[in-house]
Amino acid sequence: MADLVLRSSRGLRGTVTPPGDKSLSHRAVMFAALAEGKTLIEGFLTGEDTRNTARAMQSLGISVEGAETGRLVVHGKGLDGLSEPAGVLDLGNSGTGMRLLAGLLAGQDFFSILTGDRYLVKRPMARVVDPLRQMGAVIDGRSGGKYAPLAIRGGGGNLRPLEYASPVASAQVKSALLLCGLYADGATSVTEPHKSRDHTERMLRFFGVDIQEKGLRVSVQGRQKLRAAGTLQVPSDISSAAFFMVAAVIVPGSDILIKNVGVNPTRTGVIDILKQMGANITLDDPREQAGEPVADIRVRSGALRAVRIEGEVIPRAIDEIPILSVAAAYAAGTTVIKDAAELRVKESDRIAAMATELRKMGAPVKELPDGMEITGAESLAGAVCESHGDHRIAMSLAVAGLAARGETVVRDTEWVETSFPGFERMLKQVAY
Ligand code: S3P
């Protein structure tokens, strides 16, 4: 088990380019496989989650080269080019890999089984299984399909399009249904309570698919072909950049530039919240890559004040709530986080995990059923903390440790590899 040891930093300075966006990398390799012809994916995340997805696409008969290098060549075989896998597809720790693939496989006319690690098999799957069954797929799984492993007999030519009102704002649910909808005759629509990340919509368009959006409703007409996209460049992951943003804000004397970050408005809740807290953040050189907005982000240290984090911003910042809770622990006043019950079913129960670990460092934290109340302090005390088997908890605590007095040890940090290979090296490159 790997430990990460952090000492009080005197400031972060320099330039970093975090690894490729995880959400986009999963989608890129899946969609390129469905396209007709070759797609080159540059900046593909070489973390374990996305490599598992690349491996799954290989098991489905697609030639994928270079997943270890970040420069992937995918030889797509068209919408009907996947073939029945010989073995079980193991998505490791990745909810995105499993839920999106469940949607894709529900559309095929063959049988497949999806499984994952001990954390993933505890995460809720009914949110995709139920609507996919309504579309005509036959799916079984543990507890009647509530949990993986999932066995999927795809609906093939007999799929029905679906008009679905999702009870949760979830890009994974929306994407699974749109992918299955590509195989149905007619239009499949998903309406969400708040807008979740729209990478699937943007990337399907990049591959030439017509996607209709009206308010919170997204629709796709089935049987549309995906055109090979030539080269698809994946920007740096704003969720990985967020650790550097918060580190630079809370460690006095910091001034860093984070390069080439995806700043899709459905993902930039972390920037909006930090700015509201008083952080000094600017976006330079805005541009577009593969249908996604990209910018360089400059962050300088400064005092923070408490805020309320709730409502529509929650899905736009869902993966950044752990690191935002660290920012809150260094802000003046009490920050209230609400409407974030989804955090309890992520890679770990992120509300319980952050509350437990921040308390060890001396921060007063009250757990709410759907969030937290965190009262900030001038500084926290170094402590021995646990990752709870969750990459984002591990990295959030490492950042908390950089601004704490004395030494912080984060235990069990090998999970960081799922989304951010090289995190420790990159952090230590810029933290003095
Ligand atoms: C993701 C969607 C989000 C997010 C996850 C990645 C995606 O989950 O938390 O890390 O790539 O679609 P939900 O869609 O379940 O909210």
Side-chain angles (χ1 to χ4, degrees), residues 13-358:
R13 276 180 292 273
T15 301
V16 288
T17 307
D21 187 277
K22 183 147 74 75
S23 288
L24 290 171
S25 295
H26 283 296
R27 289 163 172 78
V29 65
M30 285 185 203
F31 301 178
L34 302 182
E36 310 200 344
K38 184 168 110 178
T39 300
L40 171 64
I41 305 170
E42 287 182 338
F44 182 81
L45 173 65
T46 60
E48 284 168 9
D49 279 9
T50 42
R51 284 172 65 176
N52 281 326
T53 295
R55 214 169 289 133
M57 298 320 293
Q58 286 172 329
S59 304
L60 291 162
I62 301 298
S63 158
V64 180
E65 299 150 30
E68 341 58 63
T69 66
R71 205 165 179 276
L72 232 70
V73 180
V74 182
H75 296 272
K77 289 189 178 171
L79 210 51
D80 299 310
L82 303 181
S83 48
E84 188 169 75
V88 170
L89 306 177
D90 187 344
L91 284 315
N93 193 243
S94 176
T96 307
M98 180 168 288
R99 296 197 181 107
L100 266 58
L101 264 182
L104 183 53
L105 293 171
Q108 310 302 314
D109 60 4
F110 56 70
F111 175 74
S112 50
I113 302 179
L114 301 178
T115 193
D117 70 10
R118 66 183 191 278
Y119 295 99
L120 185 54
V121 298
K122 288 194 192 124
R123 296 181 61 188
M125 290 298 145
R127 54 180 59 195
V128 289
V129 167
D130 291 346
L132 291 172
R133 281 176 176 157
Q134 289 177 43
M135 294 181 79
V138 178
I139 307 182
D140 207 346
R142 288 191 311 123
S143 302
K146 287 197 176 73
Y147 303 104
L150 299 177
I152 302 177
R153 166 74 54 196
N158 301 318
L159 281 170
R160 293 179 289 276
L162 182 68
E163 171 79 49
Y164 190 64
S166 176
V168 280
S170 163
Q172 295 176 358
V173 172
K174 175 174 62 178
S175 304
L177 302 185
L178 293 177
L179 285 174
C180 188
L182 278 177
Y183 291 87
D185 252 332
T188 293
S189 308
V190 184
T191 305
E192 308 185 88
H194 290 296
K195 193 171 168 71
S196 66
R197 61 190 67 189
D198 65 357
H199 298 309
T200 294
E201 298 88 309
R202 287 173 186 256
M203 200 183 288
L204 282 176
R205 281 192 195 113
F206 186 71
F207 280 98
V209 174
D210 178 34
I211 300 275
Q212 300 292 328
E213 272 178 81
K214 204 163 174 220
L216 296 169
R217 182 169 177 273
V218 182
S219 320
V220 69
Q221 191 70 35
R223 302 304 317 170
Q224 294 187 63
K225 286 185 176 167
L226 280 74
R227 275 198 317 263
T231 301
L232 192 159
Q233 263 171 334
V234 178
S236 293
D237 198 324
I238 189 170
S239 299
S240 297
F243 301 109
F244 289 86
M245 285 183 215
V246 171
V249 170
I250 64 177
V251 177
S254 299
D255 184 349
I256 62 164
L257 185 67
I258 314 172
K259 298 274 286 183
N260 205 42
V261 183
V263 288
N264 179 319
T266 60
R267 295 284 299 281
T268 47
V270 62
I271 296 177
D272 299 344
I273 293 163
L274 286 172
K275 279 188 170 169
Q276 218 186 328
M277 294 175 86
N280 187 343
I281 301 182
T282 52
L283 268 56
D284 301 337
D285 191 13
R287 52 205 186 266
E288 195 164 294
Q289 247 171 247
E292 292 280 345
V294 174
D296 301 331
I297 303 179
R298 182 160 182 205
V299 188
R300 280 164 277 192
S301 50
L304 293 178
R305 54 181 175 270
V307 286
R308 281 185 78 85
I309 305 174
E310 61 191 344
E312 69 77 38
V313 78
I314 293 290
R316 297 199 301 114
I318 191 70
D319 293 339
E320 291 67 67
I321 303 288
I323 189 63
L324 283 166
S325 71
V326 172
Y330 286 97
T334 299
T335 291
V336 181
I337 303 169
K338 298 270 297 163
D339 306 325
E342 274 293 300
L343 291 177
R344 296 210 180 266
V345 291
K346 291 293 178 188
E347 286 83 327
S348 69
D349 175 342
R350 288 180 169 162
I351 295 175
M354 286 313 295
T356 307
E357 301 306 319
L358 285 175

Side-chain angles (χ1 to χ4, degrees), residues 7 160 162 189 228 275 296 341 343 362 369 380 396 399 409 412 430:
R7 289 187 190 80
R160 293 179 289 276
L162 182 68
S189 308
K275 279 188 170 169
D296 301 331
L343 291 177
L380 299 180
S396 298
V399 169
V409 179
D412 205 7
V430 288

Side-chain angles (χ1 to χ4, degrees), residues 362-414:
V365 182
K366 187 174 162 207
E367 241 189 76
L368 308 172
D370 63 343
M372 284 178 265
E373 285 178 14
I374 304 161
T375 302
E378 287 273 301
S379 95
L380 299 180
V384 177
C385 298
E386 305 291 335
S387 74
H388 298 245
D390 184 327
H391 55 132
R392 297 202 201 283
I393 302 297
M395 291 185 273
S396 298
L397 295 169
V399 169
L402 282 183
R405 296 184 301 279
E407 185 181 270
T408 296
V409 179
V410 188
R411 296 181 37 178
D412 205 7
T413 55
E414 63 274 18

